[in-house]
Amino acid sequence: MTYYFYQYVYNRLAFRFAKSKSVPVVDVTQFLSRKGDSSNECGQVAEALHNYGAVCIKDPRVNDRHNVDFLDMMEKYFENRAAKFYNDEKVEDIFPNYSYQVGATPEFVEKARTHTNVIRQYTKENEAYTPQPAPYDAKWRFFWPIDDSGKRTKDEDFKPPRFRPKDVPQFGERMEQWGKMMINGCLTVAEMAARGMSIPADTFTTRMQGGPHLLAPTGSDLDRHKLGTVFAGFHYDLNFLTIHGKSRYPGLYVWLRNGERISVAVPEGHLLLQAGAQFDLLTGGYVTCGYHEVIYTDDAKKKYEENKKTGKSTWRVSSTLFSHINSDVTLQPLDKFAKQGLPDKYKPIKAFDQVQQELEAIKLK
Protein backbone atom coordinates (compact mmCIF):
# COMPACT_ATOMS: atom_id res chain seq x y z
CA MET A 1 0.00 0.00 0.00
CA THR A 2 2.86 2.38 0.76
CA TYR A 3 4.22 2.07 -2.78
CA TYR A 4 0.86 2.83 -4.35
CA PHE A 5 0.28 5.76 -1.99
CA TYR A 6 3.54 7.44 -3.03
CA GLN A 7 2.86 6.57 -6.66
CA TYR A 8 -0.49 8.34 -6.40
CA VAL A 9 1.03 11.39 -4.68
CA TYR A 10 3.68 11.58 -7.41
CA ASN A 11 1.01 11.52 -10.09
CA ARG A 12 -0.95 14.24 -8.28
CA LEU A 13 2.06 16.53 -8.65
CA ALA A 14 3.33 15.41 -12.04
CA PHE A 15 1.18 17.73 -14.12
CA ARG A 16 2.96 20.74 -12.62
CA PHE A 17 6.19 19.76 -14.28
CA ALA A 18 5.02 18.35 -17.62
CA LYS A 19 7.02 19.37 -20.66
CA SER A 20 5.55 22.02 -22.91
CA LYS A 21 6.19 20.96 -26.47
CA SER A 22 4.41 22.04 -29.61
CA VAL A 23 2.42 19.59 -31.68
CA PRO A 24 3.52 20.12 -35.33
CA VAL A 25 1.58 22.87 -37.11
CA VAL A 26 0.71 22.60 -40.80
CA ASP A 27 -0.93 25.32 -42.89
CA VAL A 28 -3.36 23.56 -45.27
CA THR A 29 -4.13 26.67 -47.37
CA GLN A 30 -2.01 25.67 -50.36
CA PHE A 31 -3.32 22.11 -50.32
CA LEU A 32 -6.92 23.37 -50.38
CA SER A 33 -6.16 25.72 -53.25
CA ARG A 34 -5.05 22.71 -55.34
CA LYS A 35 -2.38 24.97 -56.78
CA GLY A 36 1.29 24.10 -56.68
CA ASP A 37 3.02 21.22 -54.93
CA SER A 38 1.76 20.46 -51.41
CA SER A 39 3.59 17.15 -51.02
CA ASN A 40 5.75 18.67 -48.27
CA GLU A 41 2.69 19.61 -46.22
CA CYS A 42 1.15 16.17 -46.77
CA GLY A 43 4.36 14.55 -45.56
CA GLN A 44 4.32 16.77 -42.47
CA VAL A 45 0.76 15.71 -41.62
CA ALA A 46 1.59 12.01 -42.02
CA GLU A 47 4.79 12.34 -39.97
CA ALA A 48 3.02 14.28 -37.19
CA LEU A 49 0.29 11.64 -36.91
CA HIS A 50 2.91 8.89 -36.86
CA ASN A 51 5.13 10.45 -34.19
CA TYR A 52 2.69 12.55 -32.16
CA GLY A 53 -0.68 10.94 -32.85
CA ALA A 54 -1.78 14.55 -33.41
CA VAL A 55 -1.35 17.56 -35.67
CA CYS A 56 -2.38 21.22 -35.55
CA ILE A 57 -3.64 22.81 -38.75
CA LYS A 58 -4.27 26.34 -39.94
CA ASP A 59 -7.47 26.04 -41.98
CA PRO A 60 -8.47 29.20 -43.91
CA ARG A 61 -12.12 28.05 -43.89
CA VAL A 62 -12.27 28.46 -40.10
CA ASN A 63 -11.51 31.67 -38.25
CA ASP A 64 -11.23 32.31 -34.53
CA ARG A 65 -14.65 34.02 -34.47
CA HIS A 66 -16.30 30.71 -35.32
CA ASN A 67 -14.65 29.05 -32.33
CA VAL A 68 -15.44 32.00 -30.03
CA ASP A 69 -19.13 31.99 -30.94
CA PHE A 70 -19.36 28.24 -30.42
CA LEU A 71 -17.61 28.36 -27.03
CA ASP A 72 -19.81 31.25 -25.90
CA MET A 73 -22.95 29.27 -26.71
CA MET A 74 -21.80 26.06 -25.04
CA GLU A 75 -20.60 27.85 -21.89
CA LYS A 76 -24.09 29.28 -21.39
CA TYR A 77 -25.70 25.94 -22.20
CA PHE A 78 -23.61 23.94 -19.71
CA GLU A 79 -24.00 26.59 -17.01
CA ASN A 80 -27.78 26.45 -17.35
CA ARG A 81 -28.15 22.68 -17.47
CA ALA A 82 -25.74 22.05 -14.60
CA ALA A 83 -27.62 24.55 -12.41
CA LYS A 84 -30.88 22.70 -13.09
CA PHE A 85 -29.29 19.30 -12.57
CA TYR A 86 -27.80 20.16 -9.18
CA ASN A 87 -31.06 21.77 -8.05
CA ASP A 88 -32.78 18.44 -8.76
CA GLU A 89 -34.78 19.99 -11.58
CA LYS A 90 -35.68 17.89 -14.61
CA VAL A 91 -33.18 18.18 -17.47
CA GLU A 92 -34.99 16.96 -20.56
CA ASP A 93 -31.77 16.97 -22.60
CA ILE A 94 -30.41 13.73 -21.04
CA PHE A 95 -31.05 10.41 -22.83
CA PRO A 96 -29.43 7.39 -21.15
CA ASN A 97 -31.81 5.19 -23.18
CA TYR A 98 -29.81 6.20 -26.26
CA SER A 99 -26.50 5.38 -24.55
CA TYR A 100 -25.99 9.15 -24.18
CA GLN A 101 -25.17 9.32 -27.91
CA VAL A 102 -27.51 12.26 -28.33
CA GLY A 103 -28.19 15.24 -26.08
CA ALA A 104 -26.43 15.88 -22.77
CA THR A 105 -24.31 13.61 -20.60
CA PRO A 106 -23.87 14.83 -17.00
CA GLU A 107 -20.51 14.72 -15.26
CA PHE A 108 -19.41 11.48 -13.58
CA VAL A 109 -21.07 9.26 -16.18
CA GLU A 110 -18.20 8.65 -18.62
CA LYS A 111 -15.34 6.55 -17.29
CA ALA A 112 -12.07 5.82 -19.07
CA ARG A 113 -10.89 2.24 -19.44
CA THR A 114 -8.22 1.03 -17.03
CA HIS A 115 -4.83 1.31 -18.76
CA THR A 116 -2.47 0.19 -16.01
CA ASN A 117 -0.36 -1.94 -18.37
CA VAL A 118 0.13 0.98 -20.76
CA ILE A 119 1.01 3.47 -18.04
CA ARG A 120 3.56 1.08 -16.50
CA GLN A 121 5.60 1.33 -19.69
CA TYR A 122 6.18 5.06 -19.20
CA THR A 123 9.08 6.53 -17.29
CA LYS A 124 8.36 8.29 -13.98
CA GLU A 125 8.40 11.75 -15.51
CA ASN A 126 5.93 10.67 -18.20
CA GLU A 127 3.40 8.79 -16.07
CA ALA A 128 -0.28 9.63 -16.30
CA TYR A 129 -1.76 11.88 -13.67
CA THR A 130 -5.02 9.89 -13.78
CA PRO A 131 -5.06 7.25 -11.02
CA GLN A 132 -5.82 3.65 -12.01
CA PRO A 133 -8.51 2.44 -12.16
CA ALA A 134 -9.69 5.77 -13.54
CA PRO A 135 -12.33 7.81 -11.72
CA TYR A 136 -15.48 8.92 -13.50
CA ASP A 137 -14.86 12.03 -15.60
CA ALA A 138 -15.81 15.38 -14.04
CA LYS A 139 -17.17 16.71 -17.32
CA TRP A 140 -20.46 17.28 -19.09
CA ARG A 141 -20.88 16.52 -22.78
CA PHE A 142 -23.40 17.22 -25.51
CA PHE A 143 -23.74 14.92 -28.52
CA TRP A 144 -25.08 16.26 -31.82
CA PRO A 145 -25.10 13.76 -34.74
CA ILE A 146 -23.75 15.44 -37.88
CA ASP A 147 -24.44 12.94 -40.64
CA ASP A 148 -27.96 11.51 -40.43
CA SER A 149 -27.00 8.62 -42.67
CA GLY A 150 -24.56 7.27 -40.10
CA LYS A 151 -25.72 3.97 -38.59
CA ARG A 152 -25.54 3.89 -34.79
CA THR A 153 -27.55 0.77 -33.96
CA LYS A 154 -28.32 -2.57 -35.61
CA ASP A 155 -31.94 -1.50 -36.01
CA GLU A 156 -31.95 0.11 -39.47
CA ASP A 157 -35.18 2.00 -38.66
CA PHE A 158 -33.90 3.41 -35.38
CA LYS A 159 -32.15 6.75 -35.34
CA PRO A 160 -31.68 8.69 -32.11
CA PRO A 161 -33.27 12.13 -32.55
CA ARG A 162 -31.21 15.27 -32.48
CA PHE A 163 -32.13 17.25 -29.41
CA ARG A 164 -32.46 20.98 -30.05
CA PRO A 165 -32.76 23.00 -26.80
CA LYS A 166 -35.64 25.44 -27.20
CA ASP A 167 -34.10 28.05 -24.88
CA VAL A 168 -30.83 28.44 -26.83
CA PRO A 169 -31.18 30.71 -29.90
CA GLN A 170 -29.65 29.37 -33.13
CA PHE A 171 -28.45 26.23 -31.33
CA GLY A 172 -29.02 23.89 -34.26
CA GLU A 173 -27.61 26.30 -36.80
CA ARG A 174 -24.44 26.88 -34.76
CA MET A 175 -23.97 23.16 -34.15
CA GLU A 176 -24.36 22.39 -37.84
CA GLN A 177 -22.04 25.21 -38.91
CA TRP A 178 -19.26 24.23 -36.53
CA GLY A 179 -19.79 20.52 -37.11
CA LYS A 180 -19.55 20.79 -40.89
CA MET A 181 -16.38 22.89 -40.62
CA MET A 182 -14.85 20.27 -38.33
CA ILE A 183 -15.83 17.44 -40.69
CA ASN A 184 -14.16 19.31 -43.55
CA GLY A 185 -11.00 19.67 -41.44
CA CYS A 186 -10.96 15.93 -40.76
CA LEU A 187 -11.49 15.07 -44.42
CA THR A 188 -8.65 17.39 -45.41
CA VAL A 189 -6.23 15.88 -42.91
CA ALA A 190 -7.33 12.36 -43.86
CA GLU A 191 -6.55 13.01 -47.53
CA MET A 192 -3.26 14.74 -46.75
CA ALA A 193 -2.23 11.88 -44.46
CA ALA A 194 -2.97 9.32 -47.19
CA ARG A 195 -0.91 11.26 -49.72
CA GLY A 196 1.89 11.63 -47.20
CA MET A 197 1.84 7.87 -46.59
CA SER A 198 2.03 7.20 -50.35
CA ILE A 199 -1.32 5.42 -50.51
CA PRO A 200 -4.32 6.42 -52.68
CA ALA A 201 -5.54 9.89 -51.72
CA ASP A 202 -9.11 8.73 -51.07
CA THR A 203 -8.13 5.74 -48.91
CA PHE A 204 -9.51 7.23 -45.71
CA THR A 205 -12.01 9.77 -47.01
CA THR A 206 -14.11 7.21 -48.90
CA ARG A 207 -14.30 5.09 -45.75
CA MET A 208 -15.45 8.14 -43.76
CA GLN A 209 -18.40 8.90 -46.04
CA GLY A 210 -21.69 8.25 -44.20
CA GLY A 211 -19.88 7.68 -40.92
CA PRO A 212 -21.72 8.37 -37.63
CA HIS A 213 -19.85 11.62 -37.01
CA LEU A 214 -20.62 13.30 -33.70
CA LEU A 215 -20.15 16.87 -32.58
CA ALA A 216 -19.37 16.36 -28.90
CA PRO A 217 -18.40 19.51 -26.96
CA THR A 218 -17.49 18.97 -23.32
CA GLY A 219 -17.80 21.27 -20.34
CA SER A 220 -16.21 21.25 -16.86
CA ASP A 221 -16.95 23.83 -14.16
CA LEU A 222 -13.73 25.06 -12.55
CA ASP A 223 -15.81 26.90 -9.96
CA ARG A 224 -17.27 23.62 -8.74
CA HIS A 225 -14.13 21.48 -8.79
CA LYS A 226 -10.76 21.69 -7.11
CA LEU A 227 -7.20 21.73 -8.38
CA GLY A 228 -6.16 18.30 -9.60
CA THR A 229 -9.62 17.12 -10.65
CA VAL A 230 -9.59 14.70 -13.58
CA PHE A 231 -11.87 16.14 -16.24
CA ALA A 232 -11.05 13.40 -18.76
CA GLY A 233 -9.16 10.36 -17.53
CA PHE A 234 -6.18 8.86 -19.38
CA HIS A 235 -7.68 7.37 -22.54
CA TYR A 236 -7.67 7.11 -26.32
CA ASP A 237 -10.59 8.07 -28.58
CA LEU A 238 -12.55 5.24 -30.18
CA ASN A 239 -13.19 7.00 -33.52
CA PHE A 240 -11.02 7.88 -36.54
CA LEU A 241 -9.97 11.52 -36.08
CA THR A 242 -10.93 13.88 -33.26
CA ILE A 243 -10.81 17.61 -33.94
CA HIS A 244 -11.32 20.74 -31.84
CA GLY A 245 -10.53 24.42 -31.70
CA LYS A 246 -8.57 26.16 -28.96
CA SER A 247 -10.05 25.89 -25.46
CA ARG A 248 -10.06 28.90 -23.14
CA TYR A 249 -8.41 26.88 -20.37
CA PRO A 250 -5.28 24.71 -20.45
CA GLY A 251 -5.09 21.18 -19.09
CA LEU A 252 -4.75 18.83 -22.08
CA TYR A 253 -1.83 16.40 -22.05
CA VAL A 254 -0.94 13.93 -24.80
CA TRP A 255 1.53 11.07 -25.10
CA LEU A 256 3.80 10.79 -28.11
CA ARG A 257 4.74 7.56 -29.83
CA ASN A 258 7.99 7.46 -27.83
CA GLY A 259 6.10 7.61 -24.52
CA GLU A 260 6.81 11.28 -23.84
CA ARG A 261 4.04 13.22 -22.09
CA ILE A 262 3.56 16.83 -23.18
CA SER A 263 1.22 19.71 -22.43
CA VAL A 264 -0.62 20.87 -25.54
CA ALA A 265 -1.20 24.51 -26.38
CA VAL A 266 -3.22 25.12 -29.54
CA PRO A 267 -2.22 28.36 -31.33
CA GLU A 268 -4.93 30.99 -31.77
CA GLY A 269 -7.02 30.36 -34.87
CA HIS A 270 -5.81 26.77 -35.29
CA LEU A 271 -7.41 23.34 -34.98
CA LEU A 272 -6.03 20.31 -33.16
CA LEU A 273 -6.59 16.82 -34.59
CA GLN A 274 -5.85 13.58 -32.73
CA ALA A 275 -5.80 10.05 -34.12
CA GLY A 276 -8.27 7.58 -32.68
CA ALA A 277 -8.57 3.80 -32.48
CA GLN A 278 -9.99 3.43 -36.00
CA PHE A 279 -6.93 5.14 -37.49
CA ASP A 280 -4.76 2.75 -35.49
CA LEU A 281 -6.68 -0.31 -36.72
CA LEU A 282 -6.51 0.73 -40.39
CA THR A 283 -2.76 1.41 -40.29
CA GLY A 284 -1.70 -1.56 -38.17
CA GLY A 285 -0.27 0.79 -35.55
CA TYR A 286 1.67 3.03 -37.94
CA VAL A 287 -0.57 5.74 -36.54
CA THR A 288 -1.41 4.79 -32.99
CA CYS A 289 -4.46 5.97 -31.10
CA GLY A 290 -3.11 8.88 -29.12
CA TYR A 291 -3.47 8.64 -25.35
CA HIS A 292 -4.41 11.84 -23.57
CA GLU A 293 -5.99 13.26 -20.41
CA VAL A 294 -7.46 16.59 -19.25
CA ILE A 295 -6.61 17.82 -15.76
CA TYR A 296 -7.47 20.85 -13.60
CA THR A 297 -3.94 22.25 -13.47
CA ASP A 298 -2.20 25.17 -11.78
CA ASP A 299 -2.28 27.12 -15.05
CA ALA A 300 -6.00 26.41 -15.44
CA LYS A 301 -6.60 27.64 -11.90
CA LYS A 302 -4.71 30.87 -12.61
CA LYS A 303 -6.85 31.42 -15.70
CA TYR A 304 -9.97 30.62 -13.70
CA GLU A 305 -9.08 33.22 -11.05
CA GLU A 306 -8.49 35.85 -13.75
CA ASN A 307 -11.79 35.07 -15.43
CA LYS A 308 -13.69 34.97 -12.15
CA LYS A 309 -12.56 38.51 -11.32
CA THR A 310 -13.68 39.85 -14.68
CA GLY A 311 -17.00 38.00 -14.76
CA LYS A 312 -16.07 35.58 -17.54
CA SER A 313 -17.22 31.99 -17.67
CA THR A 314 -15.59 29.50 -15.30
CA TRP A 315 -16.40 26.59 -17.59
CA ARG A 316 -13.68 24.80 -19.56
CA VAL A 317 -15.37 23.96 -22.86
CA SER A 318 -13.91 21.95 -25.72
CA SER A 319 -15.34 22.32 -29.23
CA THR A 320 -14.81 18.65 -30.04
CA LEU A 321 -16.00 16.59 -32.99
CA PHE A 322 -15.48 12.85 -33.44
CA SER A 323 -15.20 11.81 -37.10
CA HIS A 324 -15.85 8.13 -37.80
CA ILE A 325 -15.32 5.46 -40.37
CA ASN A 326 -18.60 4.27 -41.94
CA SER A 327 -20.22 1.64 -39.70
CA ASP A 328 -20.28 -0.99 -42.48
CA VAL A 329 -16.55 -0.75 -43.20
CA THR A 330 -14.34 -3.56 -41.93
CA LEU A 331 -11.49 -2.24 -39.82
CA GLN A 332 -8.24 -4.08 -40.50
CA PRO A 333 -4.73 -3.04 -41.56
CA LEU A 334 -4.67 -1.75 -45.14
CA ASP A 335 -2.43 -3.57 -47.61
CA LYS A 336 0.55 -1.26 -47.04
CA PHE A 337 0.36 -1.80 -43.28
CA ALA A 338 -0.61 -5.48 -43.18
CA LYS A 339 2.16 -7.68 -41.83
CA GLN A 340 2.65 -10.93 -39.99
CA GLY A 341 2.64 -11.05 -36.22
CA LEU A 342 0.34 -8.12 -35.49
CA PRO A 343 -1.46 -8.30 -32.11
CA ASP A 344 -4.99 -9.72 -31.94
CA LYS A 345 -6.51 -6.25 -31.69
CA TYR A 346 -5.85 -5.88 -35.44
CA LYS A 347 -8.14 -8.76 -36.37
CA PRO A 348 -10.93 -7.66 -38.77
CA ILE A 349 -13.98 -6.08 -37.13
CA LYS A 350 -16.87 -4.03 -38.47
CA ALA A 351 -16.64 -0.39 -37.45
CA PHE A 352 -20.13 -0.63 -35.96
CA ASP A 353 -19.15 -3.52 -33.68
CA GLN A 354 -15.90 -1.81 -32.70
CA VAL A 355 -17.79 1.31 -31.59
CA GLN A 356 -20.34 -0.70 -29.60
CA GLN A 357 -17.57 -2.56 -27.78
CA GLU A 358 -15.83 0.69 -26.92
CA LEU A 359 -19.06 2.32 -25.67
CA GLU A 360 -19.63 -0.62 -23.34
CA ALA A 361 -16.09 -0.31 -22.01
CA ILE A 362 -16.46 3.38 -21.14
CA LYS A 363 -19.86 2.95 -19.46
CA LEU A 364 -21.93 4.73 -22.11
CA LYS A 365 -23.87 1.67 -23.30
Side-chain angles (χ1 to χ4, degrees):
M1 288 296 292
T2 302
Y3 168 79
Y4 291 106
F5 171 76
Y6 285 112
Q7 181 94 351
Y8 177 71
V9 171
Y10 176 87
N11 289 344
R12 298 285 290 180
L13 295 172
F15 69 87
R16 302 186 184 191
F17 310 106
K19 303 182 185 87
S20 181
K21 187 174 182 177
S22 297
V23 170
V25 177
V26 180
D27 190 331
V28 302
T29 303
Q30 181 168 310
F31 175 80
L32 291 172
S33 73
R34 303 294 177 176
K35 296 176 182 178
D37 181 14
S38 56
S39 58
N40 184 52
E41 288 83 357
C42 292
Q44 290 174 1
V45 167
E47 185 177 359
L49 290 171
H50 174 64
N51 291 319
Y52 286 73
V55 64
C56 274
I57 65 168
K58 177 63 177 175
D59 187 335
R61 299 167 296 186
V62 184
N63 62 52
D64 198 47
R65 187 73 243 170
H66 293 129
N67 190 48
V68 166
D69 289 344
F70 187 80
L71 294 179
D72 285 347
M73 181 182 74
M74 292 312 302
E75 285 172 354
K76 292 182 177 68
Y77 172 81
F78 285 128
E79 287 168 5
N80 178 277
R81 293 312 187 265
K84 286 185 176 181
F85 188 79
Y86 294 118
N87 285 328
D88 293 323
E89 297 178 35
K90 179 177 174 58
V91 181
E92 61 180 4
D93 315 37
I94 300 172
F95 300 96
N97 51 313
Y98 294 137
S99 301
Y100 297 101
Q101 293 301 287
V102 65
T105 305
E107 61 182 5
F108 303 121
V109 171
E110 282 191 55
K111 186 179 189 296
R113 287 172 177 262
T114 297
H115 292 293
T116 306
N117 291 337
V118 174
I119 293 172
R120 280 176 178 165
Q121 298 174 27
Y122 299 140
T123 61
K124 279 284 185 184
E125 63 179 354
N126 292 307
E127 283 182 342
Y129 172 77
T130 306
Q132 297 293 303
Y136 284 89
D137 291 346
K139 72 171 186 287
W140 283 70
R141 190 190 289 283
F142 191 94
F143 275 132
W144 178 270
I146 292 297
D147 188 346
D148 278 335
S149 66
K151 183 170 67 175
R152 299 171 197 283
T153 76
K154 291 193 175 183
D155 183 350
E156 296 290 346
D157 297 323
F158 173 84
K159 286 182 180 177
R162 290 177 177 172
F163 183 84
R164 190 184 299 253
K166 298 175 183 177
D167 59 331
V168 184
Q170 297 184 305
F171 187 87
E173 293 79 1
R174 288 256 176 92
M175 297 297 270
E176 282 297 299
Q177 180 193 49
W178 183 254
K180 290 293 173 59
M181 288 191 292
M182 295 303 95
I183 288 290
N184 287 335
C186 289
L187 289 170
T188 296
V189 166
E191 182 180 343
M192 292 181 75
R195 291 178 183 275
M197 294 172 188
S198 299
I199 57 179
D202 65 350
T203 296
F204 301 124
T205 54
T206 54
R207 289 171 169 83
M208 293 170 68
Q209 296 302 322
H213 313 302
L214 278 171
L215 183 57
T218 64
S220 298
D221 188 3
L222 279 70
D223 201 35
R224 177 179 172 81
H225 296 291
K226 62 182 181 180
L227 185 69
T229 297
V230 176
F231 292 143
F234 178 85
H235 70 289
Y236 59 81
D237 291 339
L238 63 88
N239 53 299
F240 181 65
L241 277 170
T242 301
I243 183 170
H244 26 224
K246 182 179 178 65
S247 175
R248 289 171 171 160
Y249 288 93
L252 172 62
Y253 295 88
V254 304
W255 276 259
L256 311 188
R257 188 179 192 86
N258 64 5
E260 185 179 357
R261 176 181 185 263
I262 66 171
S263 172
V264 176
V266 180
E268 294 287 346
H270 287 65
L271 302 171
L272 173 68
L273 292 97
Q274 295 168 269
Q278 293 179 342
F279 213 139
D280 187 340
L281 295 174
L282 286 172
T283 61
Y286 179 78
V287 173
T288 61
C289 47
Y291 285 98
H292 52 285
E293 63 184 1
V294 181
I295 308 296
Y296 190 170
T297 64
D298 285 333
D299 287 340
K301 186 167 182 62
K302 290 175 185 175
K303 188 68 176 176
Y304 155 76
E305 290 169 347
E306 293 172 8
N307 287 349
K308 181 88 169 173
K309 288 178 182 177
T310 56
K312 295 180 181 178
S313 178
T314 61
W315 279 76
R316 184 192 190 279
V317 171
S318 73
S319 50
T320 306
L321 177 133
F322 298 125
S323 70
H324 282 256
I325 296 299
N326 186 292
S327 297
D328 291 325
V329 169
T330 297
L331 298 172
Q332 61 184 348
L334 302 166
D335 289 345
K336 175 170 182 171
F337 305 105
K339 55 187 177 183
Q340 296 294 323
L342 285 173
D344 287 345
K345 80 170 190 175
Y346 294 107
K347 288 182 177 178
I349 183 172
K350 286 284 188 183
F352 176 85
D353 294 325
Q354 176 258 342
V355 169
Q356 296 307 304
Q357 290 178 14
E358 293 283 0
L359 289 177
E360 289 181 10
I362 61 176
K363 312 300 181 186
L364 287 186
K365 185 170 184 295

